[in-house]
Amino acid sequence: MKETKGPTKSEWPMRINKYLAHKNYATRRGADTLISAGKVFLNGKKATLGDQVNENDEVTLKDFKAADYVYYAYYKPSDVVTLSATQNEKSIGDVVEFPEKVFPLGRLDKDSEGLLIMTNDGRLTDKLLNPANDHEKEYYVEVDRPITHEFLVKMSQKIDIGIHVTKKSKVRRADKNSFDIILSEGKNRQIRRMCGVLGFGVKKLKRFRIMNIALGKLKPNQFRKLSTRELSALFKSIGLS
């Protein structure tokens, strides 16, 4: 298993669950489960929750079996809530049933549609969603009136959307009322807020790519397993392989 970039000297000592997460064995919560099950040893002795690991310590695992992780590309329809649906709303679990218990990596707002990665692998959450990592996500956006060259230029620059000043983005015209945009961050309703600042309303917003994972031929509410090639490229780009 390929390790992520090692801890800096200032991080030692570190809690043993953080150490195991650094080594990509599990999330911190998953590491606590392994420790509680007596499968983790620190310098030859059974580890306990809260143990501190120093740089030269030896940490080993006994009877460790990697989790059976699954990864799906899913086309979320509009009017479906990614997380925390209210009584009058539909969540992903209300409209589709996956073979395993999975959760979405990130979200799309209720009015938006398109690609979500669904998985049971919690190791991906911060690696994929942390805005400091600059992972690309690409969207198709249809607005309520013809777009101009000036609009496209301004959309590509930093924009103060009230809750945040956006990073620069990559924008290209699709037709007279629509464009594609590539973001490396994902603030709440960011594209809608960006358009609103420039006086445009969004009629349709569809995400069709997350890094190397593309929506492809999926239709609303369909899903497919990610291929070995897709996973290999994804894991390599986030330092998890």
Side-chain angles (χ1 to χ4, degrees):
M1 179 179 291
K2 182 179 178 180
E3 299 174 8
T4 56
K5 185 177 180 180
T8 62
K9 287 188 176 181
S10 63
E11 292 183 275
W12 300 105
M14 68 170 61
R15 289 174 65 91
I16 194 166
N17 61 352
K18 182 179 179 181
Y19 174 87
L20 291 171
H22 263 294
K23 295 294 185 180
N24 291 326
Y25 284 112
T27 61
R28 293 193 194 187
R29 182 177 297 179
D32 285 341
T33 300
L34 292 173
I35 295 165
S36 297
K39 295 184 178 183
V40 182
F41 291 79
L42 177 59
N43 296 324
K45 295 182 179 180
K46 191 174 291 187
T48 59
L49 295 174
D51 275 350
Q52 297 286 316
V53 180
N54 290 290
E55 188 171 4
N56 296 319
D57 286 340
E58 181 183 31
V59 178
T60 56
L61 281 79
K62 181 180 179 182
D63 299 327
F64 172 72
K65 180 182 178 182
D68 292 324
Y69 294 128
V70 294
Y71 311 88
Y72 295 97
Y74 168 62
Y75 190 147
K76 184 193 85 70
S78 59
D79 295 324
V80 172
V81 178
T82 306
L83 296 169
S84 305
T86 64
Q87 186 175 2
N88 296 321
E89 294 176 326
K90 294 180 293 184
S91 68
I92 293 173
D94 294 323
V95 297
V96 64
E97 183 175 351
F98 289 89
E100 302 86 3
K101 186 176 181 180
V102 292
F103 58 86
L105 291 173
R107 65 176 64 198
L108 282 171
D109 66 62
K110 179 181 177 181
D111 298 323
S112 300
E113 61 186 88
L115 179 63
L116 284 170
I117 297 176
M118 307 291 294
T119 184
N120 56 1
D121 187 353
R123 301 174 302 166
L124 272 64
T125 303
D126 181 68
K127 294 179 183 294
L128 194 63
L129 302 182
N130 191 326
N133 294 329
D134 289 330
H135 296 319
E136 287 190 348
K137 294 177 280 290
E138 191 165 2
Y139 304 78
Y140 166 83
V141 187
E142 182 182 337
V143 291
D144 57 0
R145 58 192 177 90
I147 57 180
T148 63
H149 176 71
E150 180 184 14
F151 169 80
L152 294 175
V153 171
K154 288 184 176 180
M155 281 294 290
S156 70
Q157 302 302 310
K158 295 180 179 180
I159 298 178
D160 186 346
I161 57 174
I163 61 170
H164 175 70
V165 176
T166 67
K167 295 180 180 180
K168 290 184 177 181
S169 55
K170 301 174 185 177
V171 183
R172 63 176 178 267
R173 185 192 300 269
D175 58 37
K176 68 176 184 177
N177 283 66
S178 63
F179 61 96
D180 295 336
I181 183 170
I182 299 174
L183 303 182
S184 59
E185 57 184 344
K187 298 298 181 181
N188 182 37
R189 300 179 71 84
Q190 178 172 331
I191 295 173
R192 296 179 187 277
R193 292 174 187 268
M194 292 168 68
C195 290
V197 168
L198 300 179
F200 287 72
V202 173
K203 297 179 64 177
K204 181 177 182 178
L205 196 159
K206 175 182 175 181
R207 182 161 68 198
F208 60 89
R209 180 173 67 87
I210 299 174
M211 299 175 68
N212 66 297
I213 309 301
L215 192 62
K217 297 181 180 179
L218 288 178
K219 297 179 180 180
N221 221 34
Q222 291 184 338
F223 62 88
R224 63 175 177 82
K225 274 195 171 184
L226 298 187
S227 70
T228 301
R229 175 178 290 185
E230 287 175 315
L231 287 173
S232 178
L234 177 65
F235 287 178
K236 182 178 181 180
S237 65
I238 63 176
L240 181 66
S241 60

